[in-house]
Amino acid sequence: MKALITGASSGIGRDMARVLSQMGYSLILVARRRERLEELQGELRTEVQIICADLSKEQACFDLYEQVKAEQIDILVNNAGFGMFGAFHETDMKRELNMIRVNIIAVHILTKLFLLDFKKRNSGMILNVASSAAFLPGPLLGAYYATKSYVLRLTEAIYEELRRE
């Protein structure tokens, strides 16, 4: 069994790697920070492949998929993401757009590509990590809350489509 985890260098992604390794999964860990991935790799019991990628770049998402599509991945954990704090009219536009690329576009691309494979073989699971922020308006975190709402709603929509097949 094999799982691919984005945003694996810290937080929920790192903890998911620990849990899945304890369950016996081989792992493909994806993040920008190689040194953190290597540190995590050293503490895990199962086989771990490290891929450094900046998922704010669309092409990096497609490249990641191409790099691992021949693997028998059983679980995709779309966890990469970040937030930014501040009044909407004061936050940095470039950083916000980068957040939208990571929190929405990367999730969208990877979900679509892996779902197509999982459907072909009638096997596989996708965990799209959102947040309680997906359910609420978020003053001073408006764009972040909106990105997490997208992740939640996309995931729910896909679930309903698959459930009805």
Side-chain angles (χ1 to χ4, degrees):
M1 299 175 301
K2 188 173 286 190
L4 184 148
I5 305 169
T6 67
S9 63
S10 64
I12 292 170
R14 181 187 58 223
D15 291 342
M16 288 295 299
R18 290 173 176 150
V19 168
L20 290 171
S21 180
Q22 287 175 353
M23 294 172 66
Y25 281 85
S26 296
L27 301 171
I28 300 173
L29 304 179
V30 181
R32 291 174 296 124
R33 298 173 288 201
R34 175 173 295 282
E35 61 283 345
R36 286 194 178 183
L37 291 175
E38 289 172 348
E39 183 181 312
L40 178 60
Q41 181 181 35
E43 74 178 67
L44 300 176
R45 300 186 221 174
T46 54
E47 177 188 339
V48 176
Q49 178 183 351
I50 290 173
I51 299 175
C52 289
D54 180 354
L55 299 182
S56 71
K57 297 175 179 18
E58 242 180 76
Q59 190 58 51
C61 299
F62 289 104
D63 292 345
L64 171 61
Y65 172 75
E66 287 298 320
Q67 189 172 347
V68 302
K69 72 180 182 183
E71 304 277 341
Q72 182 73 23
I73 294 173
D74 300 291
I75 301 174
L76 167 65
V77 179
N78 268 322
N79 174 69
F82 70 95
M84 48 190 299
F85 182 81
F88 184 75
H89 68 280
E90 295 174 350
T91 50
D92 180 71
M93 175 78 80
K94 280 186 167 182
R95 192 151 192 273
E96 259 176 345
L97 292 174
N98 197 46
M99 178 181 62
I100 289 167
R101 286 189 287 273
V102 174
N103 293 10
I104 293 177
I105 295 172
V107 170
H108 189 100
I109 291 168
L110 294 173
T111 296
K112 171 97 58 172
L113 293 173
F114 281 94
L115 179 63
L116 291 170
D117 287 347
F118 292 169
K119 282 185 63 60
K120 281 180 194 167
R121 69 175 203 245
N122 198 30
S123 174
M125 295 178 278
I126 299 173
L127 172 61
N128 287 332
V129 177
S131 166
S132 59
F135 297 93
L136 306 164
L140 303 178
L141 288 158
Y144 172 76
Y145 275 52
T147 66
K148 293 306 179 174
S149 183
Y150 180 90
V151 172
L152 173 65
R153 298 304 178 210
L154 176 68
T155 304
E156 289 176 331
I158 294 167
Y159 171 79
E160 286 300 322
E161 290 174 5
L162 294 172
R163 187 175 70 86
R164 294 171 189 222
E165 286 185 351

